[in-house]
Amino acid sequence: MVSYAKKTLNKEIRRSITGSLGRFISIFSLMLLGTFAFVGLKVSGPDMRRTAEDFYAQHHLADLTLTSTLGLDHSDQQLINETKGVKKAEFGYFQDLVIKGKENSLRLFSKPDELSTYELMSGKLPQKDSEIALDYLYDGQYKIGQTIDFTPPKSKDSDLIKNHSFKIVGFVKSSEYVDKSDFGSTTVGTGKLNGYALVTKEAFDSDVYMIARLSYKNLQNISIFDSKYDSRLKTEQKTLENTFKNQPEKRLAALKTGPEKQINEAKSQIVEEENQLTQQENQLIAQKNQIGENASAQAIEQINAGQNQNNDGKEKIAKAKAELAKQETALNQLEKPTYQINNLKEGNPGYKTFLDDSTRIDSLSNIFPVVLFAIALLVSLTTMTRFVEEERGNLGLLKALGYSNRDIRKKFMVYGLVSSGLGALVGTIIGHTFLPIAVFNAYTASSTFSNLRLTLSPLWTIVAFAIAIACSLLPAYWVVRMELKEVPASLFLAKVPKAGSRILLEKINFIWKRMSFTYKVTARNLFRYKKRMLMTIFGVAGCTALLVMGFGIRDSISGLSNKQFGQILHYDMITIEKNKVNDKEKEEIDKELASSEIENYLPIAFENLTKEASGKLEKQEVNLIATNRSDDLSKYISLKSRKNSQKIELNNSGAVLSEKFAELLDLKVGDSLTLKDSENQPHKIKVAAITEMYMGHYIFMNQSVYQKVFKKDFVANAQLIKLKNASTNNIQKMSAQFMQEDGIQAVSQNSDLKKVIESFMYGINSVMIVLISCAILLAIVVIYNLTNINVSERIRELATIKVLGFYDREVTLYIYRETILLSFLGILVGFGLGDYFHQVIMNQLSADQIMFAPVLLWTNLLLSAAITFATTLLLAIVVHFKLKAVDMLGALKSVD
């Protein structure tokens, strides 16, 4: 008998699932969406970092790299090898060359032994000095076995490569360059590197190395994304910087020692030769005076020959003196070398971008899925509560048949466990796979990382399952427990419907008396079922808030490129001159600026400044632009306040800061800040105004402020240039032309900044599409579920008004008018929540160098409301057909 009873109960449990499949699928869907977004976003960031970490570990990426403008000689190598804590120091060569017949430039590295090695994508690594392996991104443009030629540098002294023709033997991926479009700057080609290549050390002909790669003992076996690694790395970097603090002066002195000795020896020799010539000339004069006027022709001829010989000697000495003067001038112009010590973030283009991208996903995971999960759980809780109430009669039957309370609860506990558990299981599986892959593919469209390493997160899996199951089991357990306190006879009777009561609106007579009967019923029902009203408002509000936030993030970044390069920056490129430009070089630059290709240009003083930030903030680089023609600056850069669009003029009260930079340092108008120049000298600057800027950090000042801050005369060393043809190809062509000039040090192109913004936008937009889709699906399930509960709770009421002669359309509007009104209220609340979430997420998502537009567009609000309303109205059609099929007699007899 007992086994039969258990068998019957189990059969009843199975029937409860198949008999209410719609409710089962609703709970399943809610848990699936919640766990999918929650787990997926929680593991996406760590998966991305783990993938990068494995790649770097596999290729032993160096902790620090050191380069010098004059290379690394024996004294530099000795300093590095004597530095405490260094586990391995590996020295190598590199040379930037332009591909023959093109403007593209590649950096040719010597093949490393152990540190920062390369992944072979196809072919083989170079073994001979005539072989080369290209950046794998060039696979398709070139083939293995093909020959590639490079244009030799103009100066033979800067040519470090033995030959300039190589046979391609393979394609490789670098561990030092992980961004497909950012390889750094160069002094050849267009001023921007377009890739890299690998050759043997024997392919170079140089007495000094170009780069040192270092790994440290106390950084081993620590994740490069660990804060402990960052703090230790900064300590090691500071130690190395202190070690090389006085090295530039020593290197310069060593470089001058040999030439100065040769010059001094040459000067001594010239003095001796001058003394000899003076003696010879004195002897000739004496001979001439001795022989007198009656000298023979032969004697006179001998004296003239000696005089001519003396004159030739003087000419040679004069030429030697001129040559020595040139050598002395060149020696005096010789500058001390600059040592550049870079860590992973500073010397590895794309590393910091990839890290920032992964942490942005972490930021999203703290808001988006939490809100989504909360809404799903709220509606799931309501659904399970309603399920228990619908089964009230069956509870009484089972209790009357002698089933224990534990057995009766089992039905609902199993139902909740299976529906929520299956939803959580499927959501967790696709959350661990689909979403991380989608996020990774979105963000690695511009990086060289591949083969995402998927990992299982036990923590977030347990958390997701625990929350999902708890929110279906706990309400079921609690409601069943409360219901089972009643005797079977009471359980057989349906709960008495909530009595109607007067509402506040009825007391406002001039409004109430003008309302129709149906609207009066709607108003009373809204307050009669307060729990359902709040559930609907908060459910719709949550879905709308997620849509507002998702579309808001998209809107905040979608117009960055147009705003930055259409409304703010109007120049196409900046040409930056070398520190010391002679008259001839200046003349050549002026000729280039007079080209018919250039529409206009503005001479400026340009400098790169840095700000050593405190706390978690990284060191910030700032572009200083100063001009002695403030009125003309607006043709190239529009300085204006973002908040009121008021134009900003440069004046003598201080400098104008870009908004993002001021925000990072919490600076306001009237504050002062201290920045360091390229020689590490501090300069105090007062903030006169803050200008709108979305990409990069800038400081603008006029001539007077510049001279006051830097305590030197204003000298233009760069030009803002506007081209007649601003196409990307023409900008590349003009950049290459300027880089051919000896006086030009670098060229900065706006098109490069556009690529950075576009790459960033692509990643965020792709993730937003997935999350917005989740929000839309959630809205559908939530509105359908709440409407379905509303209908099932009031089925006798609906059957009654249908019997009284209401048409099907009127019956649908009777119930759905409330849903529409509550949806409208939910949308309004959602606007406020969405705006708050948008502001929070914008602060967390933005990079140090990028500012998002913080305002919400009215089109965003309209679109979010339209999607929610469209979902509500489409579900009204489903409800309409469902109500048409209501069994009026069965519904009215259900209480009997």
Side-chain angles (χ1 to χ4, degrees):
M1 179 68 182
V2 175
S3 61
Y4 176 78
K6 295 290 184 184
K7 186 176 180 181
T8 303
L9 181 62
N10 292 335
K11 187 176 181 181
E12 176 65 19
I13 293 173
R14 289 193 298 271
R15 281 180 176 175
S16 68
I17 295 175
T18 56
S20 57
L21 200 57
R23 180 187 292 114
F24 184 89
I25 293 175
S26 293
I27 298 174
F28 170 85
S29 302
L30 289 168
M31 295 303 105
L32 187 154
L33 286 172
T35 53
F36 166 70
F38 181 76
V39 174
L41 287 181
K42 285 293 183 184
V43 302
S44 291
D47 282 356
M48 289 173 67
R49 291 190 287 275
R50 181 64 61 86
T51 300
E53 188 175 3
D54 288 350
F55 178 74
Y56 287 143
Q58 180 184 350
H59 295 285
H60 308 288
L61 183 66
D63 298 312
L64 292 177
T65 59
L66 186 147
T67 58
S68 167
T69 51
L70 293 179
L72 304 173
D73 67 358
H74 179 71
S75 65
D76 295 324
Q77 297 167 42
Q78 189 175 1
L79 274 178
I80 292 172
N81 289 325
E82 291 174 354
T83 303
K84 290 183 180 180
V86 174
K87 179 184 179 184
K88 176 73 178 176
E90 190 173 310
F91 300 93
Y93 305 96
F94 67 80
Q95 168 91 55
D96 296 347
L97 293 174
V98 178
I99 300 174
K100 197 168 187 178
K102 297 185 178 181
E103 295 171 351
N104 289 6
S105 57
L106 299 181
R107 178 162 291 176
L108 276 62
F109 285 98
S110 61
K111 186 170 61 176
D113 297 324
E114 296 180 30
L115 298 179
S116 300
T117 59
Y118 290 71
E119 180 177 346
L120 183 64
M121 305 299 287
S122 61
K124 65 175 185 176
L125 295 176
Q127 304 297 328
K128 303 176 183 178
D129 61 5
S130 59
E131 295 178 340
I132 191 171
L134 294 181
D135 176 357
Y136 82 104
L137 297 175
Y138 282 85
D139 190 359
Q141 297 184 42
Y142 296 93
K143 296 180 180 179
I144 293 177
Q146 189 176 347
T147 299
I148 184 170
D149 299 319
F150 295 94
T151 303
K154 288 195 297 182
S155 172
K156 290 184 179 180
D157 294 336
S158 62
D159 194 1
L160 310 175
I161 296 288
K162 291 179 181 178
N163 63 77
H164 300 88
S165 182
F166 295 90
K167 180 183 178 182
I168 300 172
V169 296
F171 293 94
V172 293
K173 180 190 290 187
S174 171
S175 56
E176 294 180 316
Y177 292 93
V178 296
D179 194 305
K180 292 180 181 177
S181 59
D182 184 8
F183 299 95
S185 58
T186 180
T187 56
V188 300
T190 62
K192 293 290 291 183
L193 281 171
N194 303 107
Y196 52 83
L198 199 62
V199 296
T200 62
K201 286 187 177 180
E202 291 72 27
F204 289 87
D205 182 15
S206 174
D207 296 329
V208 294
Y209 289 107
M210 281 85 224
I211 185 171
R213 298 180 175 95
L214 289 77
S215 65
Y216 285 84
K217 296 174 185 176
N218 69 338
L219 297 177
Q220 304 301 304
N221 303 319
I222 301 178
S223 169
I224 59 175
F225 300 108
D226 194 327
S227 58
K228 186 187 296 183
Y229 179 90
D230 283 341
S231 61
R232 290 185 181 182
L233 183 63
K234 287 179 180 178
T235 302
E236 300 294 356
Q237 185 173 358
K238 196 69 178 177
T239 301
L240 192 62
E241 287 172 351
N242 291 333
T243 301
F244 276 83
K245 186 177 182 180
N246 300 320
Q247 189 65 1
E249 289 78 9
K250 292 179 180 179
R251 278 290 304 276
L252 183 61
L255 287 170
K256 286 185 174 182
T257 300
E260 283 178 344
K261 184 179 180 182
Q262 292 177 356
I263 289 173
N264 290 332
E265 290 176 353
K267 281 182 177 180
S268 300
Q269 187 176 352
I270 287 172
V271 170
E272 290 179 7
E273 290 177 356
E274 283 181 327
N275 290 335
Q276 290 177 4
L277 288 175
T278 302
Q279 291 175 4
Q280 291 174 10
E281 191 169 8
N282 290 335
Q283 289 175 1
L284 288 172
I285 292 172
Q287 289 177 10
K288 192 174 182 180
N289 292 333
Q290 187 178 358
I291 61 175
E293 295 180 359
N294 298 322
S296 64
Q298 184 178 0
I300 293 173
E301 187 177 344
Q302 287 178 349
I303 290 172
N304 290 337
Q307 190 68 47
N308 290 335
Q309 187 178 359
N310 234 22
N311 292 337
D312 289 342
K314 286 181 179 180
E315 286 183 12
K316 288 180 180 179
I317 288 174
K319 289 180 179 179
K321 281 184 175 181
E323 184 61 32
L324 280 178
K326 286 183 180 178
Q327 291 179 11
E328 279 190 305
T329 301
L331 196 62
N332 291 331
Q333 289 180 342
L334 191 63
E335 297 179 354
K336 60 184 179 182
T338 300
Y339 288 87
Q340 186 73 36
I341 300 173
N342 290 322
N343 56 38
L344 294 177
K345 295 179 181 178
E346 297 164 346
N348 190 335
Y351 168 86
K352 188 175 185 302
T353 301
F354 189 80
L355 174 60
D356 289 343
D357 289 341
S358 69
T359 53
R360 286 189 191 99
I361 298 302
D362 294 340
S363 299
L364 275 175
S365 71
N366 292 330
I367 293 183
F368 198 100
V370 173
V371 175
L372 191 149
F373 214 174
I375 298 168
L377 296 175
L378 184 70
V379 178
S380 176
L381 187 149
T382 306
T383 304
M384 285 301 298
T385 302
R386 177 57 192 165
F387 175 45
V388 174
E389 291 176 352
E390 286 180 359
E391 293 287 318
R392 180 180 171 86
N394 287 333
L395 292 179
L397 179 61
L398 291 172
K399 194 169 185 179
L401 291 174
Y403 284 92
S404 66
N405 289 349
R406 181 179 178 182
D407 287 337
I408 297 173
R409 283 197 298 267
K410 180 181 176 183
K411 171 182 178 179
F412 302 96
M413 304 298 282
V414 170
Y415 186 95
L417 180 65
V418 173
S419 58
S420 60
L422 280 177
L425 177 64
V426 176
T428 301
I429 291 173
I430 61 175
H432 272 100
T433 53
F434 172 76
L435 191 53
I437 292 173
V439 171
F440 181 77
N441 289 339
Y443 278 114
T444 55
S446 61
S447 81
T448 61
F449 288 116
S450 57
N451 302 321
L452 174 66
R453 179 176 175 182
L454 296 174
T455 56
L456 175 66
S457 172
L459 172 63
W460 297 121
T461 299
I462 292 171
V463 169
F465 265 87
I467 296 174
I469 292 174
C471 284
S472 59
L473 292 186
L474 290 180
Y477 176 84
W478 177 258
V479 177
V480 172
R481 183 172 176 272
M482 297 303 294
E483 294 287 347
L484 290 177
K485 287 183 178 181
E486 299 183 33
V487 296
S490 299
L491 291 172
F492 282 126
L493 299 175
K495 277 191 174 182
V496 179
K498 289 185 178 182
S501 59
R502 287 175 61 84
I503 61 176
L504 180 63
L505 194 61
E506 292 185 51
K507 298 179 181 180
I508 308 175
N509 193 49
F510 72 94
I511 296 177
W512 184 257
K513 69 180 182 181
R514 287 175 172 78
M515 291 174 63
S516 65
F517 169 76
T518 52
Y519 280 98
K520 287 179 179 179
V521 172
T522 299
R524 280 180 172 172
N525 284 338
L526 286 175
F527 291 93
R528 181 183 178 193
Y529 302 100
K530 294 182 180 66
K531 181 180 177 182
R532 190 185 65 249
M533 176 184 72
L534 293 174
M535 287 289 183
T536 304
I537 290 175
F538 285 120
V540 172
C543 297
T544 305
L546 292 179
L547 289 172
V548 169
M549 184 183 76
F551 286 123
I553 293 172
R554 186 202 63 179
D555 292 341
S556 293
I557 65 174
S558 61
L560 288 186
S561 184
N562 291 334
K563 288 179 180 178
Q564 180 79 356
F565 302 105
Q567 301 175 16
I568 300 174
L569 302 183
H570 311 301
Y571 63 87
D572 299 307
M573 53 198 289
I574 303 177
T575 55
I576 305 166
E577 299 174 2
K578 293 180 179 177
N579 289 338
K580 294 180 180 178
V581 181
N582 58 40
D583 293 339
K584 184 180 179 182
E585 291 171 342
K586 187 66 178 175
E587 185 179 343
E588 292 299 322
I589 293 173
D590 290 339
K591 284 183 181 178
E592 197 68 49
L593 291 169
S595 166
S596 59
E597 295 278 354
I598 295 176
E599 180 180 326
N600 213 337
Y601 69 93
L602 177 69
I604 59 169
F606 182 89
E607 290 193 38
N608 282 116
L609 305 177
T610 57
K611 175 63 179 178
E612 294 285 351
S614 58
K616 295 183 179 180
L617 198 62
E618 302 285 340
K619 180 172 71 175
Q620 301 298 314
E621 294 186 356
V622 191
N623 295 321
L624 167 70
I625 294 178
T627 178
N628 57 354
R629 291 159 50 184
S630 302
D631 294 339
D632 293 335
L633 184 64
S634 60
K635 299 176 184 176
Y636 303 87
I637 303 171
S638 295
L639 302 181
K640 61 188 178 82
S641 170
R642 177 184 57 81
K643 295 179 180 178
N644 56 22
S645 298
Q646 186 175 351
K647 186 178 179 181
I648 298 173
E649 301 285 351
L650 296 181
N651 55 48
N652 297 335
S653 62
V656 177
L657 267 64
S658 56
E659 186 173 350
K660 180 65 178 185
F661 185 56
E663 180 185 309
L664 285 175
L665 300 179
D666 194 24
L667 294 170
K668 298 177 179 61
V669 175
D671 293 344
S672 296
L673 76 157
T674 301
L675 300 175
K676 291 184 178 180
D677 59 21
S678 57
E679 296 182 355
N680 214 32
Q681 295 300 312
H683 301 281
K684 191 174 182 180
I685 303 171
K686 184 179 179 181
V687 181
I690 296 174
T691 186
E692 182 179 18
M693 193 70 64
Y694 295 94
M695 179 74 186
H697 299 326
Y698 291 87
I699 291 184
F700 305 94
M701 57 180 65
N702 62 16
Q703 178 180 355
S704 176
V705 175
Y706 177 87
Q707 293 178 159
K708 181 180 177 182
V709 168
F710 293 92
K711 295 179 176 59
K712 63 181 180 181
D713 293 336
F714 176 88
V715 177
N717 67 338
Q719 296 83 27
L720 299 177
I721 297 175
K722 292 177 71 173
L723 300 176
K724 291 180 179 177
N725 176 8
S727 65
T728 302
N729 290 336
N730 195 50
I731 292 175
Q732 294 285 328
K733 187 189 84 170
M734 293 303 297
S735 297
Q737 286 182 208
F738 274 105
M739 289 302 299
Q740 290 293 319
E741 300 298 334
D742 293 332
I744 296 295
Q745 176 181 327
V747 176
S748 175
Q749 308 169 26
N750 280 350
S751 55
D752 295 326
L753 296 176
K754 288 181 182 179
K755 289 180 182 177
V756 174
I757 290 181
E758 288 167 2
S759 171
F760 177 81
M761 287 167 53
Y762 177 80
I764 286 287
N765 277 331
S766 299
V767 175
M768 283 301 103
I769 289 172
V770 175
L771 298 184
I772 289 171
S773 299
C774 287
I776 294 172
L777 290 174
L778 181 68
I780 294 172
V781 176
V782 166
I783 295 172
Y784 175 77
N785 229 24
L786 292 173
T787 304
N788 203 36
I789 291 172
N790 191 15
V791 170
S792 61
E793 281 183 345
R794 299 164 63 187
I795 193 68
R796 294 185 72 252
E797 181 182 346
L798 295 172
T800 301
I801 63 171
K802 201 169 184 181
V803 169
L804 291 174
F806 278 61
Y807 293 110
D808 291 333
R809 184 178 62 84
E810 292 175 323
V811 173
T812 302
L813 283 176
Y814 178 84
I815 192 74
Y816 223 79
R817 191 178 288 111
E818 300 168 25
T819 302
I820 292 173
L821 181 58
L822 293 176
S823 296
F824 179 75
L825 294 174
I827 288 171
L828 293 180
V829 175
F831 285 166
L833 285 175
D835 179 55
Y836 172 75
F837 293 150
H838 176 255
Q839 297 296 333
V840 172
I841 209 71
M842 283 295 95
N843 291 332
Q844 295 180 354
L845 283 183
S846 61
D848 289 349
Q849 292 280 335
I850 298 176
M851 185 183 81
F852 295 143
V855 295
L856 285 174
L857 301 179
W858 66 268
T859 51
N860 166 18
L861 301 178
L862 184 63
L863 182 60
S864 300
I867 290 175
T868 307
F869 257 125
T871 302
T872 303
L873 296 177
L874 286 173
L875 290 175
I877 299 173
V878 177
V879 172
H880 176 70
F881 285 103
K882 185 174 182 179
L883 291 176
K884 284 180 68 175
V886 168
D887 180 7
M888 293 180 286
L889 185 60
L892 292 172
K893 289 175 62 179
S894 60
V895 180
D896 299 332

